[in-house]
Amino acid sequence: MKNNQLLTGLITSFSLGFLLVPPSYAEEIIRQIDFNNFTYQIREGGMGPSGNITLKQGQYQDDDWGYVSLDKVQYRDFNDDSKEDALVVLLSSGGGSGISTHAYIFESQSRKIKPIFSTMNFIEIRPYGSGFVLYTSNRANTGKINCGNFLVGSNVIDITPYQWEENGFSPLKTTTIQGREICNVLSIPS
């Protein structure tokens, strides 16, 4: 009986000129994007190449300007529209020991994706509720902090949660931490 009702609904939908698509379809669109082979707009001011950079298998290499590589992709509803979005993090370097971080949040709209947020030169970005938390170096930074087997490039960091509000992300209250507390907050084993 249920199969007959489904079939009748599909036939009716086709005869009316439309097909009802389940909500999960919108989430599938963003997951169909191959972020390993994608063109990103890399802002100037970081280490490594800038401009339109196309990754191939998660990598871009320029003998004169350095490299860009895909670090991670996380899927979640960041803008509270009940559709899955993608957080993409890239790492870039000009060939030395310094690394720049680049983050993008993409949403799907009308079978296309568009960036709704981008930032660079941060320590960490983590999804949180309808938004994310950004960990950045504070101006009072005077060096690095050793968290056991991991070195954090700032001994004073700002933690700023962002939440979606109508047309963009808004920062909430920033908290500043320093010293060994950084290891605990970033969950780095000491």
Side-chain angles (χ1 to χ4, degrees):
M1 182 67 177
K2 287 184 181 180
N3 287 339
N4 287 340
Q5 289 172 338
L6 178 62
L7 184 58
T8 302
L10 286 174
I11 292 170
T12 303
S13 296
F14 280 120
S15 66
L16 293 174
F18 65 90
L19 176 63
L20 299 176
V21 179
S24 62
Y25 180 73
E27 294 175 358
E28 293 173 8
I29 292 171
I30 199 80
R31 287 187 182 256
Q32 291 173 4
I33 304 302
D34 183 3
F35 290 108
N36 275 305
N37 297 287
F38 191 79
T39 300
Y40 298 90
Q41 176 62 44
I42 306 287
R43 288 191 275 174
E44 290 184 18
M47 297 176 191
S50 61
N52 287 329
I53 303 296
T54 302
L55 298 185
K56 293 190 184 327
Q57 297 177 343
Q59 302 289 319
Y60 171 87
Q61 180 74 43
D62 183 297
D63 292 336
D64 295 325
W65 298 104
Y67 74 87
V68 177
S69 64
L70 181 68
D71 182 48
K72 67 180 171 182
V73 178
Q74 292 179 297
Y75 298 99
R76 141 186 229 132
D77 181 10
F78 287 95
N79 60 357
D80 214 17
D81 66 353
S82 300
K83 293 190 292 184
E84 205 168 44
D85 308 303
L87 166 65
V88 179
V89 176
L90 304 177
L91 303 176
S92 67
S93 176
S97 61
I99 293 178
S100 289
T101 50
H102 306 268
Y104 306 86
I105 297 177
F106 294 98
E107 73 171 354
S108 61
Q109 273 190 356
S110 304
R111 303 184 79 137
K112 295 179 183 176
I113 67 162
K114 73 172 194 169
I116 55 174
F117 178 82
S118 69
T119 191
M120 66 182 286
N121 295 334
F122 56 92
I123 296 169
E124 179 73 53
I125 185 169
R126 294 182 181 166
Y128 180 77
S130 292
F132 56 91
V133 177
L134 194 61
Y135 301 79
T136 57
S137 183
N138 181 285
R139 292 181 194 171
N141 173 47
T142 58
K144 301 175 179 169
I145 184 81
N146 188 343
C147 295
N149 295 329
F150 189 84
L151 191 63
V152 177
S154 181
N155 62 4
V156 183
I157 66 173
D158 290 332
I159 303 169
T160 308
Y162 286 76
Q163 81 177 25
W164 183 261
E165 292 181 4
E166 289 189 40
N167 296 318
F169 291 101
S170 296
L172 303 175
K173 184 180 179 197
T174 297
T175 302
T176 301
I177 62 171
Q178 57 188 337
R180 304 273 327 143
E181 189 178 1
I182 292 171
C183 301
N184 296 333
V185 168
L186 294 176
S187 301
I188 298 169
S190 51

